[in-house]
Amino acid sequence: MLVVMKAQATPQQIQAVCEYIEKLGFRPHPLPGAQRTAIGITGNQGAVERGNLEELPGVAEVIRVSKPYKLASRDVKEEDTIVRFPATDTAPDAAIGGPNLAIIAGPCSIESRDQAFAIAEHVAASGAQFFRGGAFKPRTSPYAFQGMGIEALRIMAEIRHRFGLRIVTEALDTETLALVAEFADVIQIGARNMQNFSLLKQAGRLRKPVLIKRGLSATLEEFLMAAEYVMSEGNYQVILCERGIRTFSDHARNTLDLSIVPALQRLSHLPILADPSHGTGRRDSVLPMARAAIACGADGLIVEVHHQPELALSDGPQSIYPDQFAQMMNEIEQIAPIVARSLPRAVRVPAPTA
Ligand code: PEP
Ligand code: MN
């Protein structure tokens, strides 16, 4: 159910409708739009009795949302969601969604301070706004490198300060989510955790952007329902990421399903990124698929970059070299205007080391 407020509705009227919904035993989700505020209602099993709601001051209409995902749906919010990162002492403002492309780059895993700093310096110089790096790694084998944990988080906090890069890192479980949230600017929920409902709900109780990667065999609806889990808890800063699905194709690690980008944009207001690194698993395919992702309308990219990929402790074969990353940035900068986007490249002066 969705309550559409009149364009001229006052904040007090919006508040009164929210309180009324709470009194009915449901949860209101006020979602301000450019023209008017819509208030999503969740917590109801069936239809909410709409009669009284329609009579409250400031209410334009009450609509039934037929899709299983409500808050993630364009029915509830017509305008694209832009997840904003206001300027800080060390970083210029940034956004995921909207006219500017968002580029997240860095190694699969943080392996040492020197490795992380070397890569961060390169990706910052090429104009990335976000630095990715795994601290807690979801590995197929329990014997494979599992990540440096809190030490990696501390290294990334230093990188944020020195290079003005926002930090994107994965929360693997509910036990470490709060710790990751302390350090991260964006909390990544990995493909294998896309349906870890307790993790999604707990991330929904935070007020930090959450990047959800599509599960290896998730349908579009399942993907949006994962976003809905986070949003239903009141966290509306959700970013989707297509990272390749498992198909019969054996020329690549995964099949980067770019056709989901326009399909998601039709149905949802949430930003959608593409990950051509996990999406292909092959260094030589990353640049072509990065170009394709921008051409088809993705809001940005998350890419694995390593200065010595042959020595990487995880995902070396799909990590591109820093000069390839620089080339990728130049190429997508040229594609961007064709799809009415631009690539902001802040010139950053590294902060002095403490
Ligand atoms: C990663 O980003 O390094 C990662 C493990 O991603 P995914 O969950 O998409 O496999
Ligand atoms: Mn990886």
Side-chain angles (χ1 to χ4, degrees):
M1 214 67 155
L2 175 68
V3 180
V4 182
M5 300 300 291
K6 290 179 181 155
Q8 66 276 20
T10 65
Q12 291 75 18
Q13 289 172 335
I14 295 168
Q15 179 66 23
V17 173
C18 289
E19 282 166 14
Y20 184 85
I21 293 166
E22 272 167 6
K23 260 209 269 147
L24 292 175
F26 307 126
R27 182 166 186 167
H29 299 268
L31 300 163
Q35 309 296 336
R36 44 135 186 95
T37 290
I39 306 171
I41 304 177
T42 60
N44 51 309
Q45 296 300 329
V48 174
E49 186 48 63
R50 70 171 72 197
N52 295 335
L53 270 170
E54 241 153 14
E55 275 141 42
L56 295 180
V59 172
E61 57 177 332
V62 179
I63 302 170
R64 227 181 95 73
V65 182
S66 53
K67 308 244 173 41
Y69 43 87
K70 317 267 177 216
L71 304 172
S73 162
R74 274 219 196 265
D75 296 350
V76 168
K77 182 169 180 277
E78 218 172 294
E79 303 89 25
D80 292 340
T81 285
I82 303 178
V83 178
R84 294 183 192 281
F85 301 83
T88 66
D89 291 350
T90 52
D93 65 340
I96 301 181
N100 287 337
L101 295 173
I103 307 299
I104 305 170
C108 179
S109 304
I110 301 297
E111 299 164 2
S112 69
R113 191 173 180 279
D114 286 352
Q115 171 250 18
F117 267 66
I119 298 167
E121 186 162 10
H122 283 297
V123 301
S126 294
Q129 310 105 318
F130 299 84
F131 182 77
R132 61 148 294 148
F136 297 95
K137 294 303 302 177
R139 304 304 301 277
T140 302
S141 165
Y143 309 119
F145 176 61
Q146 304 284 307
M148 285 173 65
I150 186 159
E151 218 184 316
L153 296 175
R154 292 202 179 107
I155 291 169
M156 286 189 280
E158 274 190 71
I159 284 175
R160 171 176 37 225
H161 175 72
R162 180 146 164 78
F163 298 102
L165 293 162
R166 260 64 180 210
I167 303 303
V168 181
T169 192
E170 176 166 356
L172 201 54
D173 47 41
T174 51
E175 288 80 7
T176 50
L177 175 63
L179 176 69
V180 169
E182 234 179 83
F183 288 87
D185 295 293
V186 177
I187 300 158
Q188 178 175 324
I189 295 195
R192 290 156 195 83
N193 266 325
M194 193 207 82
Q195 288 190 315
N196 180 339
F197 302 119
S198 41
L199 182 60
L200 293 167
K201 277 202 246 182
Q202 205 166 304
R205 284 178 220 125
L206 301 173
R207 292 296 172 264
K208 277 245 161 129
V210 177
L211 184 155
I212 307 177
K213 293 189 130 194
R214 182 183 179 188
L216 275 77
S217 64
T219 63
L220 179 149
E221 191 169 301
E222 288 164 343
F223 195 10
L224 285 177
M225 292 309 280
E228 191 76 15
Y229 259 95
V230 176
M231 299 176 86
S232 70
E233 295 290 336
N235 187 352
Y236 310 119
Q237 295 187 291
V238 176
I239 301 143
L240 304 170
C241 178
E242 162 58 35
R243 51 78 71 207
I245 50 169
R246 194 160 279 182
T247 69
F248 53 79
S249 287
D250 57 3
H251 59 274
R253 180 178 174 189
N254 291 299
T255 299
L256 187 68
D257 178 19
L258 289 179
S259 69
I260 203 169
V261 172
L264 281 168
Q265 286 170 338
R266 195 166 53 242
L267 295 167
S268 175
H269 53 85
L270 295 174
I272 165 94
L273 304 180
D275 174 349
S277 306
H278 295 87
T280 64
R282 297 176 53 107
R283 183 176 307 125
D284 61 358
S285 296
V286 172
L287 265 67
M289 295 314 286
R291 297 193 296 266
I294 298 308
C296 81
D299 293 297
L301 301 168
I302 177 164
V303 186
E304 289 185 342
V305 180
H306 203 296
H307 65 314
Q308 294 171 318
E310 54 293 339
L311 301 179
L313 297 180
S314 61
D315 286 347
Q318 69 193 30
S319 299
I320 57 172
Y321 289 96
D323 60 342
Q324 289 180 297
F325 179 68
Q327 186 188 337
M328 186 200 88
M329 293 293 271
N330 289 337
E331 290 175 356
I332 62 171
E333 190 168 41
Q334 293 175 61
I335 295 168
I338 301 170
V339 286
R341 303 286 183 128
S342 56
L343 181 65
R345 296 217 232 186
V347 178
R348 289 192 198 82
V349 182
T353 26

